[in-house]
Amino acid sequence: MPHIFHITERSLWDAARARGTYEMSTRGRTLQEEGFIHCSTRAQLPGVAEFLYGSYDGPDELVVLVIDPERLDVPLKYEAAEAGGEEFPHVYGPVPVGAVVDVEVWR
């Protein structure tokens, strides 16, 4: 199964590494608030980054978590926001830090 991707702020990833799990759904929303963690394919990543962080000027650098779905111990579903729309990977639970196989700096 191909890797999935999640863009976030470096400090949020650092906190997750200390805790053992990553639990942010999307910019400014937690897994508990949203019900799942928004991810993307490699091809979807630029559009997602522009949508969520296009005007980002925060203090942290942005990073992309490269997640190996085989290492998840929670459900992964590909779902569209609307019927017939583009499907995105959603992780229904915390992402264990061991499932993150690489961290890339976002340009």
Side-chain angles (χ1 to χ4, degrees):
M1 183 175 284
H3 291 152
I4 58 174
F5 303 86
H6 178 84
I7 189 165
T8 191
E9 297 165 47
R10 166 89 55 197
S11 63
L12 295 173
W13 170 239
D14 290 344
R17 286 182 27 224
R19 191 175 48 252
T21 58
Y22 180 81
E23 299 184 24
M24 288 300 295
S25 175
T26 189
R27 184 176 183 186
R29 294 196 46 91
T30 66
L31 166 63
Q32 291 72 27
E33 293 169 318
E34 195 73 8
F36 57 86
I37 295 174
H38 289 270
C39 294
S40 64
T41 65
R42 176 70 78 184
Q44 293 167 328
L45 189 57
V48 170
E50 178 61 29
F51 178 73
L52 292 174
Y53 293 97
S55 61
Y56 180 78
D57 64 351
D60 287 348
E61 72 179 341
L62 296 176
V63 295
V64 176
L65 308 182
V66 181
I67 302 167
D68 181 351
E70 301 293 330
R71 296 183 182 195
L72 294 173
D73 54 6
V74 295
L76 168 65
K77 299 177 184 177
Y78 282 76
E79 301 171 307
E82 56 190 46
E86 184 176 15
E87 293 185 344
F88 289 83
H90 296 155
V91 178
Y92 280 84
V95 173
V97 296
V100 177
V101 295
D102 198 9
V103 178
E104 303 170 353
V105 174
W106 184 251
R107 48 176 168 68

